[in-house]
Amino acid sequence: MKILRINMGAAGGPKVSEEPMGQFEGLGGRGLTSAIVAKEVPPLCHPLGEDNKLVIAPGLLSGTPAAISGRVSVGCKSPLTGGIKEANSGGQPSQVLAMLGYGAIILEGKPKDDTLYKVFISKEGVKVSPDNSLRMLGNYALVEKMKKDHGEKICCISIGQAGEMKMSAASIAFTDMELRPTRHAGRGGVGAVMGAKGVKVIVVSDAGTERRTPKNPEKFREANKKFAEGLKKHPVTGEGLPAYGTNVLTNVINEAGAYPTKNFMWGRFDTCQKISGETQAQTETSRGGLATHGCHRGCVIQCSGIFVDKDGHYVTKQPEYETVWALGGNCCIDDLDVIAQLDRLCDDIGVDTIEMGATIGVAMEAGLAKFGDGQASINLLKEVGKGSPIGRILGNGAAVTGKVFGVERVPVVKGQALPAYDPRGIQGIGVTYATSTQGADHTAGYAVATNIMKVGGYVDPLKPEGQVELSRNLQIATAAIDSTGMCLFIAFAVMDQPETFQALIDLLNGFYGLNLTADDVTALGKQILKTEREFNLRAGLTAKQDRLPDFFKKETLSPHNLTFMVKDEELDQVFNW
Amino acid sequence: MNRPYTPAGIKIFFKCCMEKYSPHTSENCSQSFLSVEFHLSPDQISSFFPILQKGFRAKARVGVSVQAFLSDHLGLSVEYVRDRVKTIFLDGKSVDDLDQTLIRDGSTLALSAALPGLAGAVLRRGSPFAGLRSRVEERKQGQSTKPEEGVILIKLFNLLLPEVGPLLLQKGILIPREDFQGFWRQLSEETWRGWGKARVNGKESEIHLLGPLIQENPHPWILLEVHEKI
């Protein structure tokens, strides 16, 4: 594997170079992006300046025949949080980049003017060319243009208008199996950093590429078979997710009273069953869409789908739980067709659906629209794409919008919007939101296989003080899984089936010819978090930023009338290992 | 996968349904509901699943454990509950111990399969991550009381809908009239056009007349039965 480095600020125009992995050998995904950012980016630099770098890294197993290994990580200093960022995505590019032999792409420097560039990567080499005709295209139109120019044996990594305008909620789109820009590294404003580098799109050709070959093919093949079987036989990964997608969570989180509603005012949304995964799947299939579909080749879970309108025309991919919540329940919108339109707009403009949903919720509280008004939400989002003054405020996220309009209830940590689980309803998730290196992030403590991985030993689940220990262990395990390129949804099968976890370790060992143990995986997770914490400290993010907004401690959440009760001193113990 | 129902359970549930429901314990409501009946294909029956997600009421013995209710009232086999009904909420709180947690009059019981994500893991029965829930959450809900008659609200989610839902619909569920009206408004004409006729209080009714008929009817509750077409 090698690193592709593109200096966008080089004298005479962008300069392309390739180098061996060197000290980064053996790293992938989040482990690699965070290591490069920590080593090469000055923590106090401006996120949109020439010193910041955008790192795109396939996972350790991407490009191999390993099931569900197509996640890609994007790292940089975040314009939203001011700290280190890793946002990851599904889609096709991770597999193709890895098959082309790239462990990472690093975009660095900054063009001297506002010229937009297209990067074309193929087996024959890398070409960076100016193309101002792409200016202010949405992701969908952009990808259509790339198809006309380069054919269909490509995949694209791109930004929409929000990225070009360097908005802090801007995402980076990764095309899916149908060559649509539906998969996004959404969080933290990574799209703004790509925009600041002047790169509109990276087109990757898969012509002539072949799967990476394992060092121990037999061991790898056997492990892959067991791993895929483990995923298929588990009720979550083999039945629930394929049937209903991640939106299967809506009814249950609502029932638990942890479904943030009306900008985090309530813990339940009365009409949530209208937008649940069950209703969504039924709607999709009855209209001729798909309720079971993968986001990249090699996915055996198939938690996505295709959402079509009443006439059977494609609207967007199946919106995920967090998207349905953010653009739906959080704004009191219970219409799946409206939510699908909002999702499509977010993908096209290139903004994070969680950040935008939280932002629209704050805007509604500020009186810019009424809660429940779907058309008003659509109009607000269109303003973001146009870059009007109000659109630019909204496109910079919930924290900026709250500040501009004087709203106190602004659900952010380190400037990043909270996802779809109210920390007053599920307190331990609040510990992760507060202390994650990434800002509020539900995926930061997601790898629920800590018991199998034996991270942190046994924690009594009924001991109240266990929240800090559990959150710490989950964050360590997640950082490790994020490095493999494996989708986090493997977590349940790995948690419940020791043989599936062993198969995951064997996949890594079979591919790289290693003898990793669970302890090695844990050590990797710890190392990643340590690197990220140190970067954040040097960037000025201290324990004082490891806090939830005050209103979570002061305002009770119905129906259980709870506040967030974990003390600051306890939060400070999360990284005290 | 284990079969959801025990043969004995089906009989018990059937008996409970034949006794009909009352929306309130104190109310004799033998005349307070309108009976609406459909005969549909399995695909068509799934159109009614949104009602089960929102919840329906059942008259049942309360003061009994969740396990006893699931077995004796709903007729779910112990194996099915153990292996499939992995996430249970009683009045919005996760239930871990099915034998110690008691159903009360007016309780809401929600049933789900295992779910993805950290939240799914946290809320799951007997979760090693139960500590991440709220600290004030009761570990054992309910006081020991003498079993008596009561009414509870039951919600059914995700994989349990196709597995348990059709039998519950076949036996009849009680829902507020406005819930049925809301559900009916959501259905497209295209969906119900091929459904043939409905029976309202035992009399055949053209399907397109059902909406106005229910609108005009003063009964606050609907007893809904959906049978598989033979």
Side-chain angles (χ1 to χ4, degrees), chain A residues 134-442:
Chain A
L134 308 178
R135 192 172 302 282
M136 291 303 270
L137 286 182
N139 279 311
Y140 272 90
L142 174 69
V143 170
E144 282 306 308
K145 191 167 190 319
M146 293 303 104
K147 279 158 73 174
K148 277 184 191 150
D149 293 351
H150 301 286
E152 303 220 348
K153 283 188 73 65
I154 57 166
C155 48
C156 297
I157 304 167
S158 63
I159 54 171
Q161 298 94 332
E164 280 188 60
M165 290 186 275
K166 304 179 195 72
M167 293 174 174
S168 295
S171 61
I172 296 177
F174 292 78
T175 49
D176 58 22
M177 291 190 291
E178 288 75 31
L179 204 35
R180 290 171 177 148
T182 61
R183 309 293 148 183
H184 288 244
R187 311 237 64 197
V190 292
V193 179
M194 188 158 156
K197 302 297 173 204
V199 176
K200 178 72 175 176
V201 60
I202 300 170
V203 181
V204 190
S205 168
D206 70 357
T209 55
E210 286 177 6
R211 293 277 184 193
R212 296 164 67 199
T213 42
K215 285 216 166 134
N216 186 338
E218 201 165 314
K219 185 174 182 179
F220 180 83
R221 201 178 309 115
E222 185 60 24
N224 197 25
K225 188 170 164 236
K226 282 186 186 162
F227 187 65
E229 281 171 359
L231 294 174
K232 282 180 182 166
K233 79 177 180 190
H234 193 278
V236 170
T237 46
E239 293 180 90
L241 280 170
Y244 305 112
T246 57
N247 196 17
V248 70
L249 284 166
T250 291
N251 274 323
V252 172
I253 303 300
N254 189 66
E255 195 59 29
Y259 189 79
T261 304
K262 203 177 183 186
N263 188 31
F264 286 78
M265 281 188 216
W266 307 325
R268 279 205 184 133
F269 184 36
D270 281 348
T271 51
C272 79
Q273 74 282 350
K274 289 186 183 174
I275 56 173
S276 69
E278 294 88 326
T279 305
Q280 189 177 40
Q282 197 167 17
T283 304
E284 286 164 344
T285 49
S286 68
R287 292 176 176 182
L290 282 176
T292 305
H293 194 51
C295 78
H296 67 270
R297 287 186 204 111
C299 171
V300 295
I301 297 179
Q302 308 264 306
C303 73
S304 192
I306 304 285
F307 193 96
V308 297
D309 65 16
K310 285 169 182 157
D311 299 321
H313 299 127
Y314 171 83
V315 178
T316 186
K317 90 288 190 185
Q318 175 175 283
E320 289 189 54
Y321 166 64
E322 284 76 16
T323 298
V324 173
W325 160 76
L327 300 166
N330 187 51
C331 300
C332 297
I333 292 169
D334 62 5
D335 184 330
L336 281 173
D337 286 300
V338 170
I339 293 166
Q341 286 181 61
L342 289 165
D343 180 66
R344 162 73 180 238
L345 277 170
C346 284
D347 284 355
D348 197 37
I349 296 165
V351 281
D352 174 25
T353 55
I354 296 174
E355 193 66 42
M356 285 320 300
T359 302
I360 292 171
V362 169
M364 285 176 161
E365 183 152 341
L368 269 66
K370 286 185 178 160
F371 280 102
D373 189 339
Q375 189 55 51
S377 291
I378 290 170
N379 294 342
L380 286 175
L381 203 43
K382 284 182 177 172
E383 292 301 314
V384 176
K386 288 180 206 162
S388 66
I390 182 69
R392 285 191 180 255
I393 292 167
L394 299 172
N396 276 290
V400 167
T401 301
K403 195 170 276 186
V404 170
F405 292 100
V407 177
E408 187 185 344
R409 191 186 296 103
V410 180
V412 299
V413 174
K414 301 183 180 84
Q416 181 167 288
L418 265 69
Y421 315 85
D422 196 298
R424 291 164 291 187
I426 307 175
Q427 303 258 323
I429 288 184
V431 176
T432 301
Y433 285 166
T435 60
S436 160
T437 53
Q438 306 292 323
D441 183 348
H442 64 293

Side-chain angles (χ1 to χ4, degrees), chain A residues 413-414 418-419 421-446 463-475 529 533 543 545-549 552-553 563-576, chain B residues 118 122 129 131-135:
Chain A
V413 174
K414 301 183 180 84
L418 265 69
Y421 315 85
D422 196 298
R424 291 164 291 187
I426 307 175
Q427 303 258 323
I429 288 184
V431 176
T432 301
Y433 285 166
T435 60
S436 160
T437 53
Q438 306 292 323
D441 183 348
H442 64 293
T443 65
Y446 199 96
K463 191 178 71 171
E465 293 74 24
Q467 286 163 344
V468 164
E469 285 168 83
L470 285 167
S471 173
R472 175 194 302 138
N473 298 345
L474 287 161
Q475 291 191 56
L529 287 179
R533 288 283 292 181
Q545 279 76 43
D546 287 347
R547 301 289 182 263
L548 296 183
F552 286 110
K553 295 176 189 169
T563 56
F564 183 67
M565 290 173 288
V566 181
K567 295 188 181 78
D568 291 350
E569 307 85 74
E570 293 175 76
L571 294 175
D572 292 342
Q573 295 306 309
V574 170
F575 287 96
N576 191 13
Chain B
L118 177 60
V122 169
F129 301 104
L132 294 177
R133 297 175 196 159
S134 159
R135 289 180 182 188

Side-chain angles (χ1 to χ4, degrees), chain B residues 170-225:
Chain B
Q170 185 188 328
K171 302 309 175 194
I173 61 169
L174 194 69
I175 55 173
R177 186 178 67 151
E178 57 268 27
D179 281 8
F180 186 86
Q181 287 175 308
F183 160 74
W184 197 252
R185 275 195 299 272
Q186 287 280 113
L187 281 184
S188 65
E189 189 179 333
E190 208 171 69
T191 306
W192 52 254
R193 201 184 294 141
W195 285 8
K197 291 181 178 172
R199 292 182 78 84
V200 179
N201 272 354
K203 291 180 186 166
E204 275 198 351
S205 165
E206 295 296 331
I207 208 94
H208 70 276
L209 296 176
L210 190 59
L213 205 63
I214 287 172
Q215 177 70 33
E216 289 160 14
N217 199 283
H219 295 306
W221 296 89
I222 303 280
L223 178 65
L224 173 68
E225 290 182 32

Side-chain angles (χ1 to χ4, degrees), chain B residues 150-171:
Chain B
V151 172
I152 72 164
L153 179 68
I154 301 169
K155 298 180 183 180
L156 220 54
F157 300 144
N158 48 71
L159 295 174
L160 308 190
L161 285 166
E163 291 170 5
V164 181
L167 197 62
L168 296 181
L169 286 164
Q170 185 188 328
K171 302 309 175 194

Side-chain angles (χ1 to χ4, degrees), chain A residues 239 251 276 282 428 461 492 496, chain B residues 46 53 84 115 124 131-132:
Chain A
E239 293 180 90
N251 274 323
S276 69
Q282 197 167 17
F492 247 95
D496 289 339
Chain B
S46 66
Q53 292 177 57
R84 201 67 166 171
L115 291 165
R124 189 162 77 159
L132 294 177

